[in-house]
Amino acid sequence: MRFNLEGLEVFFPYDRIYLEQYQYMRSIKQTLDAGGHCLLEMPTGTGKTVCLLSLITSYQLAHPNCGKLVYCTRTVPEMNSVMEELGTVFSYRSEQLRLDREAAAAADASNTQQAEDVAMMDVEESAKSSTTNNNTEQQQQQVRKRKRIYGPKKNGQKENMGPIPYDGGAGGSGALALCLSSRRNMCIHERVLRESDREGIDAACRSMTAPWALERAKTDQTVETCQYFDGFQAAGEATSMPSGVYDLEELKKWGKGKNWCPYYLTRQAINHATVLVFNYQYMLDPKVAKMVSKELESESIIVFDEAHNIDSVCIEALSVTVNDRNLDQATRSLGRLSSEVSRMKASDSERLQREYQNLVNGLVDQGLLEASANEAGFASNVLNPDVINEAVPGNIRRAEHFISFMKKIVEHLKTRLLTVAGPRGGVISETPLAFLHRMITTTSLEAKPLKFAYSRLSSLLRTLQVPNLDDYNALTDVADFASLVATYSEGLPKFAIIMEPNGSSIPGASDPVIQLACLDASLAIAPLFKRFGSVIITSGTLSPIDLYPKLLQFEPRVSESFNMSTFRPCIRPLVITRGSDQLPVSTKFDDRGDMGVVRNYGSMLVELCSSIPDGVVAFFTSYSYMESIISEWDGMGILRQLTKSKLVFIETKDVVETTLALDNFRRACDSGRGAVFLSVARGKVSEGINFDRHYGRAVIMFGVPFQYTLSHILRARLEYLQTNYQIREQDFLNFDALRQASQCVGRVIRSKIDYGLMIFADSRYNRHDKRTKLPGWIQNFLGDGQLNLSTDTAIAQVKHFLRVMAQPVDQNKLKEVLLSLEEVEAMNPPTQMIEAP
């Protein structure tokens, strides 16, 4: 479908469109036209991704001066899904532009023929010309109505992915779309891939691609280098990528075919790309962002998809935790550095002298902040421009002086931890200024050199040619801690330093920690709002939407929440407040250990699983609560009853185990055996996994997933929000818990023809202040008859809902909620359409 949206020609790759999709794209266009930012809540399963890509790529085509589209996702599967959808959008647009060119060529040929025959034109020739023009008009109408089926090529290659050299390139305009990820996801070197974890892969890669490794390889044949990186370097300026859409698999396939490293190739090609897709951290974490996104033009359009937790991501990017193990590892790392410095003094003292001279010139002149991709191991977490532009203080320029400086910091942190863990210890909370004052008083260090600790360490590691930077992670955490404390010690305290005698999640284990907790989410994202013209924050669960501008400290030009247009009630929210014995059920602290509540929850799950076919997903409020209640259920025989109707799979903190459990869960659903997946709110399954179709006919939310309210970091943040932004403690806790619950139950619906049950199993969901914070599109399906239910009455509603939804989809009713091209055009006022140049 091609349609005019307020003067913009939009290429939408499907024949019909939902009303909310049209409204969503209109809001995005208004945001881009105004040159501002927006907050948009779009119901789950309504084609949010294709709307974003269709509108923004059409806007780029119509406005050549518009910058890149930077699409930020959370997980690799989401990244690949976006690239696949983008391939569909570009393929449709390319076909439409090709047919336009053919129609224009036919019209030009017709006009030329008419001009040649103008002297001999008669009635018959006039009729023929009219027929030709009519045929041209009919051809253009067919172009608009033509339906294209996208599918795999015969050779197994995805039709819309990879290099696209025909029809003017990707999108008909020579577009280049890339996705970026870590070495682990992009490496094609067989020996490197045999490493077991991310750190091992990074270290093996650096040992073969670092500049000093390449220099050694010239004189020492035993030094192994990467053939793909060597090929990439040898090609030089020829390492350009043709127009196309490249997901991770296509990048690796292309790189292997050219004998070029896809990891470094992609980073070089960033400047030439039209669309970039990568993880949030590449934009929000200063350590990563300065290496990847520093070259993006200010006209770029930034999209944060599934951004309901964006404030938490911002806070984590600027928070550091240090414990005893970290400090012991940091001490050992300093010992190794000292030995390396002594060795280099004896063998290559000139290199240390060059580093010293570079540090006199400052960080920018030294090139520390502009390091090439294969050299950069670290980038400073500090955002203060004063640190970036100043010369490194003289007392830490020499390597041996800096190592002594870092030893004092480590010893001071060890002393503070001993104090906290001692008999007179306890939880201590300090501002960065108070902590810094005590450190300076105790160690006789100066505040200014502390600001440069992180950058100075990065410079030293590069000078010493350290291949395995991950061995120094603990030391870099200490340096990062010192830099952040010194940099943000002045003015309003936006950080809190929490020292706890026991930071371990294991009961009875002693693990004293020092946590530098960022309290202001706007610190990490403020540079993006200032630098880029349009930042789009969108998700299916942003309610209540008016809290995000306060948390992130920005003024959106457009802030809107959309409803779901449906031809049948495809979701059924139910609030179960009582068990079959009419006793209230809740996971609040006073009730969660009650055996009656445990038994009622178990009986509820057994009855629901007996009535619901295929897959069921159950979410608990925490790992500890899930483990305790499963243990109780096992003793009561509930698990044995459960396995009679479904296989049981459980999420763990181990990613590999959880991934394996998910695969087997899907196999059980595919085979018809049915399965139930027990998982945790805020866990891996609740954020990035979809349970569409038969994989998720119901999602059960056991309890309200509040954060651990006795957390000292949470208490500090709540106090900060109350004092500075007038956000009440209970308002934020309710907001945070309900957005997590909404995210969990939203896993059940992925399209308009899908259907599923959303079961809220806690008496507190019946309260007005709780359920009104659910997204509007869920509240629209939550009638009075679905509130305050017992297990028995809920089971009756479940059976009725499933019986109705199991009937064949009425295609005529489905078309009623889909807008045709004529209906879309009728919704637009007549305006001059902006066409591609």
Side-chain angles (χ1 to χ4, degrees):
M1 175 189 293
R2 288 169 70 176
F3 61 91
N4 173 20
L5 178 60
E6 297 180 354
L8 174 69
E9 185 177 29
V10 178
F11 294 84
F12 187 75
Y14 300 103
D15 291 335
R16 290 176 175 265
I17 188 172
Y18 294 117
L19 176 61
E20 61 266 33
Q21 289 179 320
Y22 175 83
Q23 295 169 336
Y24 185 67
M25 287 193 278
R26 184 175 60 191
S27 294
I28 297 171
K29 181 183 181 297
Q30 291 170 353
T31 301
L32 299 180
D33 288 341
H37 316 302
C38 70
L39 274 169
L40 300 174
E41 183 181 59
M42 181 73 159
T44 300
T46 51
K48 175 170 78 276
T49 302
V50 72
C51 290
L52 280 163
L53 296 174
S54 297
L55 189 283
I56 297 176
T57 54
S58 298
Y59 198 89
Q60 287 177 312
L61 186 67
H63 299 81
N65 294 329
C66 181
K68 296 176 175 55
L69 164 58
V70 181
Y71 199 109
C72 300
T73 67
R74 296 168 306 167
T75 64
V76 171
E78 286 178 358
M79 184 188 303
N80 287 329
S81 176
V82 170
M83 298 305 289
E84 187 175 348
E85 198 74 76
L86 181 63
T88 302
V89 171
F90 273 163
S91 181
Y92 173 77
R93 190 176 85 183
S94 179
E95 180 191 21
Q96 293 295 300
L97 293 179
R98 177 180 60 80
L99 293 174
D100 280 355
R101 290 192 296 270
E102 291 176 357
D108 288 344
S110 175
N111 292 335
T112 302
Q113 183 65 37
Q114 290 178 42
E116 292 176 353
D117 298 342
V118 66
M120 303 175 62
M121 183 177 295
D122 54 13
V123 176
E124 181 181 350
E125 289 297 326
S126 298
K128 185 184 295 183
S129 175
S130 175
T131 302
T132 303
N133 290 332
N134 288 336
N135 289 339
T136 301
E137 291 178 6
Q138 291 173 6
Q139 184 179 7
Q140 290 175 336
Q141 291 297 324
Q142 290 171 359
V143 165
R144 291 177 177 270
K145 296 182 179 180
R146 182 173 176 181
K147 185 175 181 180
R148 175 74 180 267
I149 304 299
Y150 301 96
K153 289 184 177 179
K154 291 182 180 180
N155 61 5
Q157 180 186 355
K158 299 174 186 175
E159 181 179 9
N160 309 321
M161 307 295 286
I164 302 175
Y166 50 85
D167 289 344
S173 60
L176 175 62
L178 302 172
C179 57
L180 284 76
S181 189
S182 63
R183 288 178 174 88
R184 179 177 59 180
N185 296 322
M186 301 186 74
C187 183
I188 55 176
H189 194 285
E190 292 182 0
R191 190 188 72 75
V192 174
L193 288 175
R194 286 200 292 268
E195 298 291 337
S196 59
D197 55 13
R198 181 189 62 80
E199 290 80 6
I201 290 175
D202 287 349
C205 177
R206 289 193 191 103
S207 68
M208 291 191 286
T209 60
W212 54 86
L214 300 178
E215 285 296 322
R216 289 176 190 164
K218 292 178 182 178
T219 57
D220 185 355
Q221 297 298 321
T222 62
V223 176
E224 183 182 8
T225 60
C226 174
Q227 69 184 73
Y228 301 106
F229 183 76
D230 292 343
F232 167 74
Q233 292 282 74
E237 295 182 358
T239 55
S240 59
M241 297 188 69
S243 171
V245 180
Y246 299 85
D247 62 4
L248 293 176
E249 288 303 316
E250 289 297 332
L251 280 170
K252 291 194 281 190
K253 186 187 301 181
W254 169 258
K256 187 168 284 189
K258 301 289 287 188
N259 203 39
W260 295 345
C261 172
Y263 177 78
Y264 292 110
L265 174 65
T266 305
R267 276 150 181 74
Q268 179 175 290
I270 286 176
N271 291 338
H272 308 291
T274 313
V275 181
L276 294 172
V277 182
F278 48 57
N279 191 275
Y280 279 29
Q281 303 298 333
Y282 287 82
M283 292 301 293
L284 295 176
D285 190 338
K287 295 190 291 294
V288 183
K290 287 177 182 175
M291 291 188 287
V292 174
S293 58
K294 63 179 183 294
E295 299 296 337
L296 296 178
E297 55 268 57
S298 59
E299 295 82 11
S300 297
I301 301 165
I302 313 300
V303 175
F304 288 102
D305 194 8
E306 299 297 339
H308 47 278
N309 283 335
I310 192 168
D311 55 314
S312 301
V313 176
C314 291
I315 281 175
E316 289 170 7
L318 291 175
S319 298
V320 184
T321 299
V322 177
N323 57 22
D324 270 337
R325 291 188 304 279
N326 294 136
L327 295 177
D328 289 340
Q329 291 171 6
T331 301
R332 291 193 292 271
S333 297
L334 286 170
R336 288 198 298 272
L337 285 180
S338 183
S339 301
E340 284 294 312
V341 169
S342 299
R343 181 188 60 79
M344 186 164 286
K345 270 186 174 182
S347 61
D348 194 359
S349 59
E350 184 180 343
R351 184 182 298 156
L352 289 173
Q353 185 60 35
R354 282 199 305 269
E355 184 205 29
Y356 176 86
Q357 190 58 47
N358 286 335
L359 293 172
V360 173
N361 298 331
L363 298 174
V364 174
D365 293 339
Q366 183 207 0
L368 183 61
L369 300 179
E370 303 294 332
S372 61
N374 59 317
E375 288 183 288
F378 304 108
S380 176
N381 217 350
V382 174
L383 304 172
N384 194 329
D386 295 338
V387 176
I388 294 173
N389 296 319
E390 286 185 43
V392 175
N395 58 349
I396 60 171
R397 288 177 193 163
R398 294 206 176 278
E400 57 272 26
H401 294 169
F402 175 67
I403 291 173
S404 175
F405 175 85
M406 288 301 300
K407 284 180 178 178
K408 289 183 180 180
I409 296 174
V410 171
E411 289 305 317
H412 176 74
L413 295 179
K414 284 184 176 180
T415 303
R416 296 301 306 267
L417 280 181
L418 286 174
T419 304
V420 171
R424 295 186 180 181
V427 177
I428 300 174
S429 177
E430 293 181 0
T431 64
L433 182 61
F435 188 91
L436 180 64
H437 176 73
R438 183 162 181 174
M439 178 186 286
I440 292 172
T441 304
T442 306
T443 61
S444 301
L445 298 175
E446 297 178 14
K448 185 176 179 180
L450 287 169
K451 296 180 181 180
F452 293 85
Y454 198 96
S455 299
R456 179 66 186 91
L457 177 61
S458 176
S459 174
L460 180 60
L461 291 173
R462 187 185 309 165
T463 301
L464 296 177
Q465 301 179 350
V466 174
N468 193 355
L469 296 176
D470 293 300
D471 288 345
Y472 295 86
N473 278 344
L475 184 58
T476 59
D477 284 343
V478 173
D480 192 18
F481 182 95
S483 296
L484 286 169
V485 168
T487 303
Y488 295 105
S489 60
E490 300 174 0
L492 182 70
K494 296 186 177 182
F495 288 80
I497 297 174
I498 312 290
M499 290 167 277
E500 297 184 75
N502 187 11
S504 173
S505 59
I506 303 173
S510 177
D511 184 21
V513 295
I514 301 178
Q515 302 169 85
L516 176 67
C518 178
L519 305 177
D520 191 343
S522 68
L523 272 181
I525 201 170
L528 302 186
F529 289 137
K530 183 178 180 180
R531 178 182 168 193
F532 299 107
S534 294
V535 177
I536 298 169
I537 297 175
T538 184
S539 178
T541 51
L542 287 178
S543 297
I545 202 168
D546 57 346
L547 210 53
Y548 285 91
K550 291 182 180 180
L551 291 173
L552 302 178
Q553 287 297 287
F554 78 110
E555 294 183 8
R557 290 294 183 95
V558 179
S559 179
E560 198 165 353
S561 182
F562 301 94
N563 290 321
M564 181 189 289
S565 60
T566 58
F567 66 99
R568 61 176 185 171
C570 57
I571 61 174
R572 176 65 63 89
L574 300 173
V575 177
I576 301 179
T577 61
R578 291 162 286 130
S580 299
D581 57 4
Q582 304 303 311
L583 290 177
V585 291
S586 176
T587 61
K588 60 185 178 182
F589 189 76
D590 294 338
D591 296 343
R592 64 173 55 183
D594 186 278
M595 285 298 104
V597 172
V598 173
R599 184 178 60 254
N600 275 328
Y601 271 147
S603 301
M604 183 190 303
L605 182 61
V606 169
E607 292 186 48
L608 287 170
C609 287
S610 300
S611 306
I612 300 170
D614 301 320
V616 175
V617 186
F619 288 98
F620 298 85
T621 55
S622 66
Y623 281 106
S624 59
Y625 180 62
M626 180 176 71
E627 290 165 2
S628 66
I629 199 169
I630 289 175
S631 176
E632 296 290 350
W633 285 349
D634 187 37
M636 295 177 178
I638 289 174
L639 288 183
R640 284 194 301 276
Q641 297 177 46
L642 192 58
T643 53
K644 292 178 181 178
S645 55
K646 298 197 185 300
L647 298 179
V648 180
F649 299 91
I650 302 174
E651 177 184 6
T652 68
K653 294 181 182 180
D654 185 274
V655 176
V656 176
E657 288 181 358
T658 300
T659 302
L660 184 61
L662 275 170
D663 289 342
N664 288 324
F665 169 82
R666 294 181 186 278
R667 288 175 59 193
C669 294
D670 290 336
S671 68
R673 173 68 171 84
V676 57
F677 200 95
L678 308 181
S679 49
V680 175
R682 304 177 198 275
K684 176 181 183 290
V685 172
S686 68
E687 289 293 333
I689 307 299
N690 295 326
F691 294 94
D692 57 333
R693 299 176 290 117
H694 61 293
Y695 298 124
R697 286 303 176 208
V699 172
I700 309 166
M701 183 70 241
F702 286 114
V704 183
F706 285 108
Q707 292 190 53
Y708 179 54
T709 52
L710 298 181
S711 164
H712 297 284
I713 292 178
L714 176 61
R715 304 305 308 174
R717 189 182 180 200
L718 292 173
E719 184 179 346
Y720 179 85
L721 294 175
Q722 171 72 53
T723 304
N724 297 286
Y725 302 147
Q726 290 72 55
I727 299 175
R728 295 189 308 166
E729 175 181 314
Q730 200 56 45
D731 287 344
F732 178 79
L733 291 174
N734 283 335
F735 153 78
D736 183 67
L738 269 296
R739 68 174 169 178
Q740 296 300 331
S742 302
Q743 187 64 20
C744 291
V745 298
R747 304 293 92 200
V748 78
I749 186 82
R750 291 288 105 187
S751 70
K752 294 293 179 72
I753 60 174
D754 199 4
Y755 63 91
L757 292 147
M758 300 178 175
I759 299 172
F760 299 93
D762 193 299
S763 58
R764 289 171 291 180
Y765 286 113
N766 205 51
R767 292 167 48 180
H768 184 266
D769 68 320
K770 295 289 189 297
R771 67 173 186 268
T772 53
K773 288 183 171 57
L774 293 169
W777 59 273
I778 294 180
Q779 291 186 54
N780 291 340
F781 293 92
L782 186 60
D784 292 340
Q786 291 143 251
L787 299 173
N788 198 24
L789 303 176
S790 66
T791 300
D792 294 338
T793 52
I795 292 296
Q797 290 207 28
V798 164
K799 291 179 178 178
H800 176 264
F801 171 79
L802 293 173
R803 188 163 53 248
V804 173
M805 289 296 107
Q807 306 309 310
V809 173
D810 189 331
Q811 296 296 328
N812 292 326
K813 287 188 176 180
L814 175 59
K815 289 181 180 179
E816 289 177 4
V817 298
L818 287 165
L819 302 178
S820 65
L821 176 61
E822 293 74 16
E823 290 170 320
V824 171
E825 295 287 4
M827 296 171 65
N828 271 289
T831 55
Q832 182 65 37
M833 186 150 56
I834 303 172
E835 296 185 353

